[in-house]
PDB file of all heavy atoms in Angstrom:
ATOM      1  N   VAL A 156     -27.109   0.652  13.310  1.00 96.00           N
ATOM      2  CA  VAL A 156     -26.326   0.846  12.085  1.00 96.00           C
ATOM      3  C   VAL A 156     -26.908   1.931  11.196  1.00 96.00           C
ATOM      4  O   VAL A 156     -28.105   1.947  10.906  1.00 96.00           O
ATOM      5  CB  VAL A 156     -26.215  -0.482  11.305  1.00 96.00           C
ATOM      6  CG1 VAL A 156     -25.498  -0.275   9.971  1.00 96.00           C
ATOM      7  CG2 VAL A 156     -25.496  -1.531  12.139  1.00 96.00           C
ATOM      8  N   GLN A 157     -26.016   2.835  10.755  1.00 95.00           N
ATOM      9  CA  GLN A 157     -26.349   3.858   9.771  1.00 95.00           C
ATOM     10  C   GLN A 157     -25.327   3.760   8.646  1.00 95.00           C
ATOM     11  O   GLN A 157     -24.132   3.954   8.872  1.00 95.00           O
ATOM     12  CB  GLN A 157     -26.287   5.260  10.389  1.00 95.00           C
ATOM     13  CG  GLN A 157     -27.349   5.529  11.420  1.00 95.00           C
ATOM     14  CD  GLN A 157     -28.720   5.622  10.787  1.00 95.00           C
ATOM     15  OE1 GLN A 157     -28.901   6.291   9.758  1.00 95.00           O
ATOM     16  NE2 GLN A 157     -29.686   4.967  11.391  1.00 95.00           N
ATOM     17  N   LEU A 158     -25.783   3.439   7.448  1.00 94.00           N
ATOM     18  CA  LEU A 158     -24.908   3.341   6.275  1.00 94.00           C
ATOM     19  C   LEU A 158     -24.701   4.744   5.714  1.00 94.00           C
ATOM     20  O   LEU A 158     -25.626   5.350   5.171  1.00 94.00           O
ATOM     21  CB  LEU A 158     -25.538   2.424   5.223  1.00 94.00           C
ATOM     22  CG  LEU A 158     -24.773   2.230   3.928  1.00 94.00           C
ATOM     23  CD1 LEU A 158     -23.420   1.575   4.181  1.00 94.00           C
ATOM     24  CD2 LEU A 158     -25.597   1.400   2.962  1.00 94.00           C
ATOM     25  N   VAL A 159     -23.485   5.285   5.878  1.00 90.00           N
ATOM     26  CA  VAL A 159     -23.220   6.672   5.483  1.00 90.00           C
ATOM     27  C   VAL A 159     -22.049   6.812   4.513  1.00 90.00           C
ATOM     28  O   VAL A 159     -21.795   7.902   4.007  1.00 90.00           O
ATOM     29  CB  VAL A 159     -22.963   7.569   6.717  1.00 90.00           C
ATOM     30  CG1 VAL A 159     -24.202   7.659   7.592  1.00 90.00           C
ATOM     31  CG2 VAL A 159     -21.768   7.093   7.514  1.00 90.00           C
ATOM     32  N   GLY A 160     -21.296   5.747   4.276  1.00 82.00           N
ATOM     33  CA  GLY A 160     -20.110   5.854   3.428  1.00 82.00           C
ATOM     34  C   GLY A 160     -18.915   6.333   4.228  1.00 82.00           C
ATOM     35  O   GLY A 160     -19.000   6.547   5.434  1.00 82.00           O
ATOM     36  N   ASN A 161     -17.801   6.479   3.562  1.00 80.00           N
ATOM     37  CA  ASN A 161     -16.576   6.939   4.209  1.00 80.00           C
ATOM     38  C   ASN A 161     -16.434   8.442   4.088  1.00 80.00           C
ATOM     39  O   ASN A 161     -16.634   8.999   3.007  1.00 80.00           O
ATOM     40  CB  ASN A 161     -15.344   6.283   3.574  1.00 80.00           C
ATOM     41  CG  ASN A 161     -14.918   5.042   4.308  1.00 80.00           C
ATOM     42  OD1 ASN A 161     -15.028   4.966   5.523  1.00 80.00           O
ATOM     43  ND2 ASN A 161     -14.430   4.062   3.577  1.00 80.00           N
ATOM     44  N   PRO A 162     -16.068   9.104   5.166  1.00 78.00           N
ATOM     45  CA  PRO A 162     -15.790  10.542   5.056  1.00 78.00           C
ATOM     46  C   PRO A 162     -14.539  10.768   4.212  1.00 78.00           C
ATOM     47  O   PRO A 162     -13.609   9.964   4.236  1.00 78.00           O
ATOM     48  CB  PRO A 162     -15.564  10.993   6.504  1.00 78.00           C
ATOM     49  CG  PRO A 162     -15.457   9.764   7.331  1.00 78.00           C
ATOM     50  CD  PRO A 162     -15.908   8.598   6.514  1.00 78.00           C
ATOM     51  N   ILE A 163     -14.535  11.856   3.460  1.00 73.00           N
ATOM     52  CA  ILE A 163     -13.421  12.169   2.564  1.00 73.00           C
ATOM     53  C   ILE A 163     -12.802  13.491   2.983  1.00 73.00           C
ATOM     54  O   ILE A 163     -13.506  14.483   3.186  1.00 73.00           O
ATOM     55  CB  ILE A 163     -13.903  12.241   1.097  1.00 73.00           C
ATOM     56  CG1 ILE A 163     -14.505  10.897   0.685  1.00 73.00           C
ATOM     57  CG2 ILE A 163     -12.761  12.638   0.167  1.00 73.00           C
ATOM     58  CD1 ILE A 163     -15.152  10.903  -0.670  1.00 73.00           C
ATOM     59  N   ARG A 164     -11.489  13.503   3.095  1.00 69.00           N
ATOM     60  CA  ARG A 164     -10.778  14.723   3.491  1.00 69.00           C
ATOM     61  C   ARG A 164     -10.963  15.833   2.460  1.00 69.00           C
ATOM     62  O   ARG A 164     -11.048  15.587   1.263  1.00 69.00           O
ATOM     63  CB  ARG A 164      -9.283  14.433   3.671  1.00 69.00           C
ATOM     64  CG  ARG A 164      -9.011  13.614   4.903  1.00 69.00           C
ATOM     65  CD  ARG A 164      -7.556  13.249   5.004  1.00 69.00           C
ATOM     66  NE  ARG A 164      -7.286  12.204   4.013  1.00 69.00           N
ATOM     67  CZ  ARG A 164      -6.140  12.024   3.396  1.00 69.00           C
ATOM     68  NH1 ARG A 164      -5.117  12.797   3.648  1.00 69.00           N
ATOM     69  NH2 ARG A 164      -5.991  11.051   2.526  1.00 69.00           N
ATOM     70  N   ARG A 165     -10.997  17.048   2.945  1.00 70.00           N
ATOM     71  CA  ARG A 165     -11.201  18.215   2.082  1.00 70.00           C
ATOM     72  C   ARG A 165     -10.129  18.320   0.993  1.00 70.00           C
ATOM     73  O   ARG A 165     -10.431  18.683  -0.142  1.00 70.00           O
ATOM     74  CB  ARG A 165     -11.209  19.496   2.906  1.00 70.00           C
ATOM     75  CG  ARG A 165     -12.429  19.609   3.764  1.00 70.00           C
ATOM     76  CD  ARG A 165     -12.617  21.036   4.260  1.00 70.00           C
ATOM     77  NE  ARG A 165     -13.869  21.126   4.971  1.00 70.00           N
ATOM     78  CZ  ARG A 165     -15.061  21.221   4.401  1.00 70.00           C
ATOM     79  NH1 ARG A 165     -15.159  21.235   3.107  1.00 70.00           N
ATOM     80  NH2 ARG A 165     -16.160  21.294   5.124  1.00 70.00           N
ATOM     81  N   LYS A 166      -8.877  18.032   1.340  1.00 70.00           N
ATOM     82  CA  LYS A 166      -7.792  18.117   0.351  1.00 70.00           C
ATOM     83  C   LYS A 166      -8.080  17.224  -0.846  1.00 70.00           C
ATOM     84  O   LYS A 166      -7.823  17.594  -1.988  1.00 70.00           O
ATOM     85  CB  LYS A 166      -6.463  17.702   0.975  1.00 70.00           C
ATOM     86  CG  LYS A 166      -5.913  18.671   1.960  1.00 70.00           C
ATOM     87  CD  LYS A 166      -4.631  18.115   2.563  1.00 70.00           C
ATOM     88  CE  LYS A 166      -4.224  18.883   3.788  1.00 70.00           C
ATOM     89  NZ  LYS A 166      -3.079  18.282   4.476  1.00 70.00           N
ATOM     90  N   LEU A 167      -8.604  16.030  -0.589  1.00 66.00           N
ATOM     91  CA  LEU A 167      -8.906  15.104  -1.682  1.00 66.00           C
ATOM     92  C   LEU A 167     -10.072  15.604  -2.519  1.00 66.00           C
ATOM     93  O   LEU A 167     -10.052  15.500  -3.748  1.00 66.00           O
ATOM     94  CB  LEU A 167      -9.199  13.709  -1.131  1.00 66.00           C
ATOM     95  CG  LEU A 167      -8.045  13.023  -0.409  1.00 66.00           C
ATOM     96  CD1 LEU A 167      -8.493  11.678   0.141  1.00 66.00           C
ATOM     97  CD2 LEU A 167      -6.851  12.861  -1.323  1.00 66.00           C
ATOM     98  N   MET A 168     -11.095  16.139  -1.862  1.00 64.00           N
ATOM     99  CA  MET A 168     -12.247  16.654  -2.612  1.00 64.00           C
ATOM    100  C   MET A 168     -11.860  17.872  -3.447  1.00 64.00           C
ATOM    101  O   MET A 168     -12.259  17.993  -4.599  1.00 64.00           O
ATOM    102  CB  MET A 168     -13.393  17.016  -1.657  1.00 64.00           C
ATOM    103  CG  MET A 168     -14.130  15.820  -1.108  1.00 64.00           C
ATOM    104  SD  MET A 168     -14.815  14.736  -2.393  1.00 64.00           S
ATOM    105  CE  MET A 168     -16.008  15.792  -3.155  1.00 64.00           C
ATOM    106  N   GLU A 169     -11.082  18.768  -2.859  1.00 64.00           N
ATOM    107  CA  GLU A 169     -10.646  19.958  -3.598  1.00 64.00           C
ATOM    108  C   GLU A 169      -9.783  19.564  -4.789  1.00 64.00           C
ATOM    109  O   GLU A 169      -9.923  20.125  -5.872  1.00 64.00           O
ATOM    110  CB  GLU A 169      -9.899  20.908  -2.661  1.00 64.00           C
ATOM    111  CG  GLU A 169     -10.813  21.578  -1.663  1.00 64.00           C
ATOM    112  CD  GLU A 169     -10.066  22.295  -0.543  1.00 64.00           C
ATOM    113  OE1 GLU A 169      -8.809  22.300  -0.546  1.00 64.00           O
ATOM    114  OE2 GLU A 169     -10.737  22.838   0.342  1.00 64.00           O
TER     115      GLU A 169
END
Side-chain angles (χ1 to χ4, degrees):
V156 175
Q157 292 291 314
L158 179 62
V159 296
N161 266 325
I163 300 173
R164 288 176 286 149
R165 290 196 174 281
K166 289 177 194 174
L167 297 177
M168 285 303 295
E169 289 168 1

